Amino acid sequence: MKNLLVIQAILVVLGVAVSFFYLAEEGILPAAYGGAVAIANTILLSRRLDSAGEMAKENPEGGVLTLYLGVIQRFVFVLVMFGVGMGVLKLLPPPMLGTFAVAQLAFMLFGSKQTKLASEEIANAAKDASDNSDK
């Protein structure tokens, strides 16, 4: 997950540079904010996967439930953060959403493989735990 965070950070810096090029100083904060939301979203996913893996060893259904709750948590987090960014802080939407989208694209391209491997580990741990409880 650390490699993904490094890739996302690089893309956020590039997004901020592009926003600065097109919008001058007015584009820096919204782009950085959008990128920070994307990075925080990845960190939330990483923490949720870790806790789901630990929980799946003892309670397989709890591990799966933890993953589902993590999806809802991240969705609500992103919506609230965009609401704060656009509504309260009055940040420009295009650089904020653009940088967020680019950082999330990195997650889709590079992080989905890592997430899939972690999910498979959780599923295997849940299967092993249920097999052990059947004995």
Side-chain angles (χ1 to χ4, degrees):
M1 212 40 95
K2 289 181 183 178
N3 291 337
L4 173 61
L5 289 172
V6 169
I7 291 169
Q8 281 186 315
I10 291 168
L11 290 173
V12 168
V13 169
L14 290 174
V16 169
V18 168
S19 295
F20 177 72
F21 179 76
Y22 284 107
L23 299 170
E25 291 179 11
E26 201 173 284
I28 294 174
L29 185 59
Y33 184 87
V37 171
I39 289 172
N41 196 23
T42 301
I43 292 170
L44 284 173
L45 173 64
S46 175
R47 292 180 66 197
R48 186 60 73 160
L49 285 173
D50 290 343
S51 66
E54 291 299 317
M55 187 177 287
K57 293 176 185 174
E58 298 170 15
N59 180 5
E61 293 84 18
V64 173
L65 180 63
T66 298
L67 289 177
Y68 284 124
L69 290 174
V71 169
I72 294 168
Q73 174 193 29
R74 289 177 25 245
F75 182 75
V76 170
F77 170 75
V78 169
L79 285 178
V80 168
M81 294 310 291
F82 282 151
V84 168
M86 288 184 248
V88 176
L89 301 176
K90 305 289 188 216
L91 299 175
L92 294 173
M96 181 173 48
L97 296 173
T99 305
F100 174 81
V102 168
Q104 281 300 108
L105 181 63
F107 172 77
M108 297 301 288
L109 295 176
F110 300 106
S112 61
K113 188 179 293 185
Q114 293 174 348
T115 303
K116 182 178 178 184
L117 292 173
S119 297
E120 288 173 357
E121 287 178 18
I122 292 168
N124 289 337
K127 183 178 180 231
D128 291 345
S130 65
D131 288 347
N132 289 338
S133 67
D134 291 341
K135 292 180 182 179

